[in-house]
Amino acid sequence: MAVRVRAGVTNIVPTGSSRSFGHILRANLFTLFNAVVGAGTVVLILFGDWQDGLFGLTALANVLIGVFQEFRAKRLLDSLALLNATPARVLRGGEIHEIATELVVLDDLLVLRVGDQVPADAVIVSEVGLEIDESQLTGETVPVGKRADDTVLSGSAVAAGHGTARVVRVGADSYTSRLTAEAKRFSLVNSELRNAANRIVRWVSWGLAPLIILVMNAQMQAAGGWDAAIRSGHWREALIGTVASASSVIPQGLILMISISFALAAAKLAQSQVLVQEIAAIEILARVDTLCFDKTGTLTDGAIAFDGAHPIEADTELAGAESADWRAVLGCFGADDDANATARCLRAAFSAGDLRPSGYAPFSSDRKWSALGISHGASRGTWVLGAPEMVFAHLPDTHPALQEQLSDLLARGLRTLVLAHSIDHLDDAAIAGHRLPGSLQPVTLVTFAETVRPDAAETVAYFRAQGVELKVISGDNPHTVATIARAVGIQFEGSGYDASELPADLAAMGEVLETNSVFGRVTPAQKRQMVRALQQRGHVVAMTGDGVNDALALKAADIGIAMGSGASATKAVARMILLDGQFSRLPKVVAEGRRVILNIERVSKLFLTKTTYAILLSIVVGVLLWKFPFLPRQFAPTDGLTIGIPALLLALAAQQRPYRPGFLHRSLTFSLPAGAVTATVIVVVLAFARLSGGYSNSEMSTAAAIALSIVGFWVLVVSARPLTARRYALLLTMATVQAACFLVPLVRTFLAFTLPTGPLLAVAFGVAAMGCIAIEIIFRLTSRRASLSAVPPRL
């Protein structure tokens, strides 16, 4: 063992999140927004007053919120992976040892028993009725029989029997590691809110360089020209004015508000056992129009349960006279130590009592039956429990009653076994040759079904009511999948689509997906292709899953959702994890995502109005060679009191309206004209002051700030509608504090304001009032247009 450890052939694999702390920090720190704001902050700290550099705190807050939330998700995910790890059982030095899975080395001899998870790829050395559950890898829930020299893959589990297997591939070379390597490549979720904010920053950044040059030239000219400004030291004031112009253009508060809204939503969902690994994923689920999910683990809990026993309606002596005996026989099948998962379901329903078998043939996937012998009493003889088509290959000709009942049960999608009896003794030679005894008579049919989650039907009904298309994608038999789908209320025609007949071409596959809702025998590769085919047709796709076989599809989907009990690799690549595996958590996530989107759309009008007037004001100042009217700190009455604080509170409001694409277009439809009106108000006030003469720069700045505060307050009023008692209280509070910024001496001094007197103050109020009227008109026109566009067309 020590030699193999030194050689590096151990089973150590990365089981945690696909993102390290360094990745998370870099993704949140190195953004265009942070570069612009950070550069401006450094300039102000070096060449200006520290008070003017406080706006840089928004960038720092944005980084801290994103890093904290995503690192918190990573730590929780890593702890989940550790808790879910099960020890491996190996044979070393003739003794069996239980060790951590990462301590398994190449050529170790694994001891496999029922319930064990296979820790590494291995080859069977010996077995007794060994069956492996490969559903985590293939999606097929029926266990697969394994014989000597067969391969078992990491991530699979022992469903029945026992055996030993020699490890042939460990760590990153194992099947599971190779399957998930591609899925673990990090990529950001496609967030419309984040994309819109980044698009705005990109647009502004493209025009920022010429705008800075234009404003800087104006500031230097206002200071007496470049030579005079440099000699006199007034270039510092010109630089501060330029930074104030540039920083006012960037909608830094909008980006911060998006981060805060997502973080608060993620914290709220965490209380409901929903782990959000990337905070923007909350928004995506609210935009989803197609939800793909596996049957097992989503609609069902993955467990097989006994459904019922159906005695054969045949006029045979056995079926009537010995009806009490077959129940005890079923109890014997369920009580056997090597019983598979299906037979173990019989333990709760049947008791063997005093009945003791004299011999037992374990279930084999090859022959698809198990048998036991009874040597005494009324039940003596051989009893066989297995698949009807294998136990009675001559079914159509010999047992019409059995065939009729069987057809009815199979049509209902139930897994069905037949219990048959023969008075002949089943010897070892017959078992070895897979030969059943003669004169077998069917006694009863035993049915099994997957346990449907109690919350599945309600959740399905919710998504149907919201207009979300549901696609059940499973590796199981299409008939079985169709039965479960109908049981939870999914409506469709036919009996499920067999994915083996799916076309490989994405366009053709997309057409099939549009007309079918239930798919069986789907391979892991097909799951990913199905997601891509739906996306190619313009759908926003969510995919749920719990097995390694789901990882690639979860990665390809717009949002991947993993179950908390699923494979660690699947949880690592998912954007969201339902920690308790409850499908019913998703409606709450959708509602939270809608609340975030609709509230961000509301408050974005505040931020984008500011960006618009800041750009226009900078252009006017640059062209007319005016001194920029505001210091960075003087934006506090508008940025903080008519945008920042109210936006944070409005972002927490309840919302339940359905999502509509086009958030940025609707916001700009209001913000562009509203920003133009605001810029006009400021320019008119400044022009009056300059033409009148006799006013100091501080008085002009204060008059412009008063007018800006009033118009900005009215933009807040129309954005907060419909007004409630709480919103009235919010508006009153903001107006009071806003007035205090100009009237309280200590605050006024900090902000470098000087109250103007006479006509300038009157003009500031008068022009601002006209600006408010114009804002009201713009709001009414854009709201009416948005309402008309939201009404569906008449057919």
Side-chain angles (χ1 to χ4, degrees):
M1 172 186 171
V3 174
R4 286 170 173 77
V5 171
R6 287 194 297 271
V9 285
T10 62
N11 203 36
I12 298 176
V13 292
T15 57
S17 169
S18 55
R19 300 184 74 192
S20 66
F21 177 76
H23 287 136
I24 294 173
L25 182 61
R26 286 193 296 272
N28 285 276
L29 185 60
F30 298 114
T31 66
L32 181 59
F33 161 72
N34 289 341
V36 174
V37 176
T41 303
V42 170
V43 169
L44 289 176
I45 292 175
L46 292 177
F47 301 106
D49 294 331
W50 64 269
Q51 299 98 319
D52 292 322
L54 293 178
F55 78 95
L57 293 176
T58 58
L60 178 61
N62 189 49
V63 172
L64 291 177
I65 290 171
V67 170
F68 173 78
Q69 175 60 34
E70 294 185 29
F71 186 66
R72 174 179 172 275
K74 168 190 165 52
R75 290 189 62 186
L76 183 54
L77 177 63
D78 290 348
S79 65
L80 284 173
L82 184 62
L83 289 173
N84 290 336
T86 55
R89 193 179 292 106
V90 297
L91 184 62
R92 291 176 179 171
E95 295 183 357
I96 296 177
H97 302 271
E98 286 193 357
I99 61 174
T101 56
E102 62 267 22
L103 298 181
V104 173
V105 298
L106 195 67
D107 291 328
D108 255 337
L109 195 63
L110 302 174
V111 178
L112 302 176
R113 296 173 183 169
V114 173
D116 289 349
Q117 188 173 47
V118 181
D121 296 354
V123 173
I124 300 297
V125 175
S126 63
E127 58 82 27
V128 176
L130 185 64
E131 292 185 3
I132 300 295
D133 176 5
E134 298 180 342
S135 59
Q136 289 279 318
L137 306 177
T138 65
E140 174 62 65
T141 57
V142 177
V144 179
K146 296 292 182 179
R147 299 295 172 263
D149 297 328
D150 285 349
T151 299
V152 290
L153 302 175
S154 58
S156 57
V158 180
H162 56 86
T164 58
R166 188 170 302 280
V167 175
V168 294
R169 285 185 295 271
V170 292
D173 293 329
S174 68
Y175 175 82
T176 300
S177 297
R178 287 185 282 113
L179 181 65
T180 57
E182 180 180 352
K184 283 200 169 202
R185 296 174 187 167
F186 173 70
S187 63
L188 286 173
V189 69
N190 184 26
S191 163
E192 183 184 8
L193 293 181
R194 185 169 57 196
N195 292 345
N198 290 339
R199 193 177 305 130
I200 293 168
V201 172
R202 190 165 57 249
W203 291 344
V204 171
S205 300
W206 286 340
L208 200 57
L211 194 66
I212 289 175
I213 295 172
L214 184 66
V215 174
M216 185 65 182
N217 178 66
Q219 305 313 292
M220 297 296 278
Q221 296 299 333
W226 284 82
D227 291 338
I230 293 174
R231 285 196 304 270
S232 64
H234 289 161
W235 63 269
R236 290 176 178 269
E237 297 177 7
L239 183 61
I240 292 172
T242 303
V243 172
S245 167
S247 62
S248 65
V249 166
I250 300 292
Q252 50 188 315
L254 175 60
I255 298 172
L256 177 60
M257 193 56 55
I258 292 174
S259 295
I260 291 175
S261 297
F262 280 150
L264 292 176
K268 184 177 179 181
L269 290 173
Q271 298 175 357
S272 300
Q273 297 294 302
V274 179
L275 172 63
V276 180
Q277 297 211 78
E278 187 181 347
I279 54 179
I282 298 170
E283 170 210 336
I284 305 303
L285 193 55
R287 295 198 286 114
V288 161
D289 61 29
T290 305
L291 176 60
C292 301
F293 49 89
D294 197 352
K295 166 183 64 65
T296 305
T298 304
L299 298 181
T300 69
D301 60 10
I304 298 295
F306 169 72
D307 173 72
H310 313 270
I312 305 301
E313 296 177 359
D315 187 17
T316 66
E317 180 182 350
L318 183 64
E322 298 185 356
S323 59
D325 296 320
W326 60 260
R327 297 180 182 276
V329 171
L330 287 177
C332 288
F333 276 106
D336 187 82
D337 292 337
D338 288 330
N340 61 12
T342 302
R344 287 198 299 272
C345 295
L346 300 172
R347 292 176 180 176
F350 301 99
S351 172
D354 296 331
L355 196 62
R356 295 291 181 269
S358 57
Y360 183 75
F363 181 85
S364 164
S365 295
D366 293 335
R367 57 180 178 250
K368 296 190 182 303
W369 54 263
S370 58
L372 57 82
I374 304 294
S375 59
H376 61 278
S379 301
R380 64 182 179 276
T382 299
W383 293 85
V384 178
L385 180 65
E389 67 274 16
M390 300 299 290
V391 176
F392 293 100
H394 51 296
L395 176 66
D397 301 321
T398 311
H399 299 287
L402 172 60
Q403 181 189 19
E404 183 178 348
Q405 281 186 257
L406 180 61
S407 298
D408 178 63
L409 294 173
L410 292 177
R412 291 161 52 189
L414 297 170
R415 182 176 299 179
T416 305
L417 301 181
V418 64
L419 177 67
H421 176 263
S422 172
I423 59 174
D424 295 340
H425 176 67
L426 183 64
D427 55 28
D428 293 339
I431 295 175
H434 293 191
R435 295 193 307 272
L436 289 166
S439 65
L440 271 175
Q441 294 293 325
V443 177
T444 186
L445 290 170
V446 187
T447 54
F448 303 85
E450 292 188 66
T451 306
V452 177
R453 290 185 179 273
D455 56 1
E458 182 180 352
T459 308
V460 166
Y462 171 84
F463 282 111
R464 288 186 57 208
Q466 298 299 317
V468 177
E469 288 289 329
L470 301 175
K471 306 292 180 185
V472 186
I473 300 175
S474 174
D476 269 354
N477 184 291
H479 293 283
T480 304
V481 181
T483 300
I484 298 296
R486 283 197 174 92
V488 298
I490 298 176
Q491 298 179 357
F492 59 96
E493 296 181 358
S495 56
Y497 191 96
D498 192 330
S500 62
E501 301 175 2
L502 270 177
D505 178 68
L506 287 184
M509 183 183 291
E511 294 180 5
V512 174
L513 287 165
E514 291 286 7
T515 55
N516 292 273
S517 300
V518 178
F519 298 84
R521 303 211 185 280
V522 183
T523 66
Q526 282 180 316
K527 288 187 178 184
R528 178 168 58 171
Q529 292 300 92
M530 294 169 80
V531 169
R532 289 176 173 171
L534 288 166
Q535 290 172 327
Q536 193 177 77
R537 297 179 72 88
H539 293 288
V540 180
V541 182
M543 176 78 190
T544 72
D546 58 357
V548 176
N549 63 303
D550 298 319
L552 297 180
L554 263 64
K555 185 70 174 177
D558 294 281
I559 176 172
I561 305 166
M563 300 298 171
S565 59
S568 297
T570 305
K571 290 185 289 190
V573 303
R575 310 292 188 181
M576 191 175 293
I577 301 173
L578 307 182
L579 297 178
D580 58 2
Q582 297 296 318
F583 189 40
S584 57
R585 301 293 185 187
L586 291 184
K588 182 174 289 187
V589 180
V590 172
E592 193 64 20
R594 287 179 174 175
R595 186 189 65 77
V596 170
I597 290 177
L598 294 172
N599 287 333
I600 290 297
E601 180 173 334
R602 178 200 299 273
V603 302
S604 68
K605 297 175 181 178
L606 303 174
F607 294 104
L608 296 182
T609 296
K610 180 209 169 181
T611 295
T612 302
Y613 78 65
I615 292 174
L616 295 176
L617 179 60
S618 298
I619 293 174
V620 171
V621 167
V623 171
L624 298 179
L625 303 180
W626 288 357
K627 178 179 173 61
F628 192 78
F630 304 115
L631 295 172
R633 76 187 87 161
Q634 291 176 332
F635 282 110
T638 52
D639 283 10
L641 301 175
T642 65
I643 301 177
I645 296 174
L648 177 59
L649 297 176
L650 290 174
L652 302 177
Q655 293 279 3
Q656 277 301 315
R657 287 190 292 114
Y659 165 79
R660 288 188 297 130
F663 136 77
L664 183 58
H665 177 266
R666 289 190 298 274
S667 295
L668 291 177
T669 300
F670 170 83
S671 302
L672 292 179
V677 168
T678 306
T680 301
V681 168
I682 298 172
V683 170
V684 169
V685 172
L686 292 175
F688 176 83
R690 295 178 69 89
L691 292 174
S692 300
Y695 295 105
S696 66
N697 288 332
S698 180
E699 287 178 308
M700 287 191 290
S701 297
T702 305
I706 290 173
L708 175 59
S709 297
I710 294 172
V711 177
F713 179 78
W714 202 255
V715 172
L716 171 62
V717 169
V718 299
S719 299
R721 292 174 183 167
L723 297 178
T724 62
R726 290 186 177 182
R727 292 179 188 176
Y728 274 119
L730 170 66
L731 294 173
L732 179 61
T733 302
M734 294 300 103
T736 302
V737 178
Q738 204 170 21
C741 291
F742 298 98
L743 299 177
V744 176
L746 183 62
V747 180
R748 188 170 65 236
T749 300
F750 177 82
L751 296 175
F753 282 146
T754 301
L755 284 177
T757 58
L760 181 57
L761 188 60
V763 168
F765 278 102
V767 175
M770 290 188 288
C772 291
I773 294 173
I775 294 294
E776 183 68 30
I777 294 172
I778 293 169
F779 172 75
R780 292 178 182 273
L781 290 176
T782 54
S783 297
R784 183 174 182 274
R785 187 181 308 165
S787 299
L788 291 175
S789 64
V791 176
R794 295 181 180 274
L795 298 178

